[in-house]
Amino acid sequence: EKGTYPHFMLKEIDEQPFVMRKIIQEYQDENNQIKLDQDVREAMKACDRVYIVACGTSYHAGLVGKEFIEKLAKVPVEVHVASEFSYNMPLLSEKPLFVFISQSGETADSRAVLVKIKEMGYPALTITNVPGSTLSREADYTLNLYAGPEIAVASTKAYTAQIAVLAILAVDTAQAKGIELDFDPLQELAIVANAMEVLTDQKEAIEDLARNYLETTRNAFFIGRSSDYYVCLEGALKLKEISYIQAEGFAGGELKHGTIALIEEGTPVIALATQTDVNYAIRSNVQEVAARGANAMVISMKGLEQDSDAFVLPHVHELLTPLATVVPLQLLAYYAALHRDCDVDKPRNLAKSVTVE
Ligand code: F6R
């Protein structure tokens, strides 16, 4: 039921702070420490490499997950698009662990890989929003997203839930390996939940940005560096699937290697600037496109903001910024689609779960 909401997508965007709190609650023990299935912990500890396999938005969450697992738990990770993996299998390590990320747990492309790697005798963990789903049943281990049913075709709360659960998995693996962390992950996720609430209360500001930058454009670019880049891929996917604006996410540094040729007078460029070590570099990229006529907007984070920024996010832990930056991008896509009279919850040519390969 969407209650007083005009669309499921808007309702699901708004539910994200509650989903974060639900995840914290479900994955914490009585001492406020992370609680994870012992078998999952052992599997993560035993593997020499993690292969994340997913499609679409779930693939984008996987890219962020790679960063968590490598940085915190020091386990190498590869992230693969499921449809490519099945016929273009990379050389596998000696002790791979496959991690399938799927909101629905029914995606045929991902299932094809699962069937194949099970035949080969490798272990699999599925991270899904639907515990009894095919991918969940056929894997050795499952982690639940606890996002509640996601009805809108465009995935929002499942994406942030996937990232939060991947953060918990990474931290748990680090702890299992005796790696000391200098932050309290569950406390940082609680800060994220509060930040999301602040963000979902700023709909009017985002709607204005959508009106000013996206209402009539044919195309749009999202640029970012480091983990901001991964969120740019997701922001672009959200925008194209529901507003039909041709949108692409790019690594800020790659622009000058070709894409900058597409920048014309008035082309919208949305830049994310939440990472301290690349702040200077991404801001130079913004100047490069602005000098060529782009209608550039910067979404930054408190502590790194400049007066000219279009939108400033509350401060969250630097590893967890994707959980915050994606919220204004989801809302930008929503309002762009709304103002262009698109069917927000049921975009053309798309189904909620893709059960054909
Ligand atoms: C985008 C979207 C799709 C799905 C993809 C994978 O908003 O919803 O890109 O993310 O089809 O679906 P799941 O996660 O169910 O495997």
Side-chain angles (χ1 to χ4, degrees):
E1 254 319 297
K2 56 180 187 254
T4 56
Y5 281 94
H7 297 99
F8 280 108
M9 184 181 179
L10 196 62
K11 173 170 179 271
E12 290 162 4
I13 290 172
D14 268 7
E15 282 171 352
Q16 293 177 109
F18 307 101
V19 174
M20 290 299 113
R21 292 180 189 127
K22 172 80 175 159
I23 288 171
I24 295 168
Q25 191 192 331
E26 292 292 337
Y27 286 101
Q28 97 183 332
D29 67 13
E30 54 287 355
N31 302 316
N32 300 332
Q33 298 300 307
I34 287 176
K35 172 187 74 181
L36 209 69
D37 187 347
Q38 188 66 24
D39 293 346
V40 174
R41 177 176 260 231
E42 293 303 326
M44 285 293 289
K45 224 175 125 181
C47 76
D48 64 359
R49 188 174 286 253
V50 170
Y51 293 81
I52 294 179
V53 177
C55 311
T57 289
S58 299
Y59 169 75
H60 295 155
L63 295 172
V64 178
K66 169 186 163 80
E67 181 128 333
F68 293 160
I69 297 169
E70 291 194 335
K71 282 200 173 141
L72 300 175
K74 315 286 181 206
V75 181
V77 181
E78 291 180 21
V79 193
H80 292 273
V81 167
S83 58
E84 286 294 306
F85 193 97
S86 29
Y87 59 86
N88 198 5
M89 195 175 287
L91 280 179
L92 298 180
S93 63
E94 243 167 74
K95 289 187 283 177
L97 172 66
F98 283 83
V99 176
F100 293 87
I101 307 176
S102 176
Q103 188 285 127
S104 63
E106 301 296 342
T107 301
D109 287 324
S110 299
R111 171 145 194 265
V113 180
L114 175 59
V115 168
K116 196 161 192 165
I117 64 102
K118 285 317 298 169
E119 275 167 15
M120 295 165 83
Y122 296 125
L125 159 67
T126 291
I127 300 177
T128 181
N129 203 26
V130 185
S133 59
T134 308
L135 281 163
S136 158
R137 280 184 282 109
E138 294 180 356
D140 304 271
Y141 322 103
T142 298
L143 292 177
N144 192 355
L145 293 173
Y146 298 106
E150 192 180 61
I151 310 293
V153 164
S155 181
T156 54
K157 62 177 180 171
Y159 170 80
T160 44
Q162 286 162 346
I163 290 176
V165 170
L166 285 162
I168 287 170
L169 178 66
V171 168
D172 186 72
T173 309
Q175 286 168 349
K177 292 175 68 177
I179 298 169
E180 291 267 345
L181 300 177
D182 58 0
F183 64 97
D184 177 340
L186 296 178
Q187 205 175 318
E188 295 300 335
L189 279 175
I191 292 170
V192 164
N194 294 341
M196 284 173 158
E197 217 152 53
V198 172
L199 291 167
T200 51
D201 281 344
Q202 287 175 281
K203 292 193 184 70
E204 279 173 25
I206 307 282
E207 185 167 11
D208 281 344
L209 292 174
R211 196 177 283 119
N212 296 337
Y213 287 80
L214 301 170
E215 194 150 281
T216 57
T217 190
R218 274 191 309 124
N219 57 2
F221 296 96
F222 292 79
I223 60 170
R225 286 171 177 255
S226 180
S227 60
D228 284 339
Y229 164 50
Y230 303 140
V231 184
C232 285
L233 296 176
E234 174 58 11
L237 178 60
K238 282 294 86 90
L239 187 64
K240 57 190 149 186
E241 70 182 321
I242 62 168
S243 77
Y244 316 138
I245 296 170
Q246 185 174 14
E248 299 303 334
F250 282 99
E254 270 296 289
L255 267 188
K256 58 183 172 298
H257 298 290
T259 310
I260 201 161
L262 293 171
I263 303 295
E264 299 174 349
E265 198 58 43
T267 305
V269 176
I270 297 148
L272 299 183
T274 73
Q275 303 295 305
T276 312
D277 53 345
V278 293
N279 193 42
Y280 179 80
I282 189 66
R283 287 180 183 278
S284 317
N285 298 139
V286 172
Q287 281 168 6
E288 283 157 18
V289 293
R292 287 158 181 86
N295 195 13
M297 87 158 88
V298 176
I299 298 178
S300 66
M301 192 172 67
K302 198 117 196 89
L304 292 174
E305 79 271 30
Q306 292 182 4
D307 287 346
S308 57
D309 293 349
F311 194 83
V312 181
L313 302 150
H315 188 272
V316 300
H317 190 280
E318 212 158 63
L319 270 180
L320 300 178
T321 54
L323 293 169
T325 42
V326 78
V327 178
L329 301 193
Q330 293 166 342
L331 287 167
L332 269 179
Y334 174 79
Y335 287 112
L338 196 69
H339 294 173
R340 294 163 75 106
D341 283 329
C342 300
D343 188 346
V344 171
D345 281 341
K346 288 200 175 62
R348 68 186 181 208
N349 308 344
L350 289 172
K352 182 66 186 162
S353 102
V354 184
T355 51
V356 289
E357 273 180 59

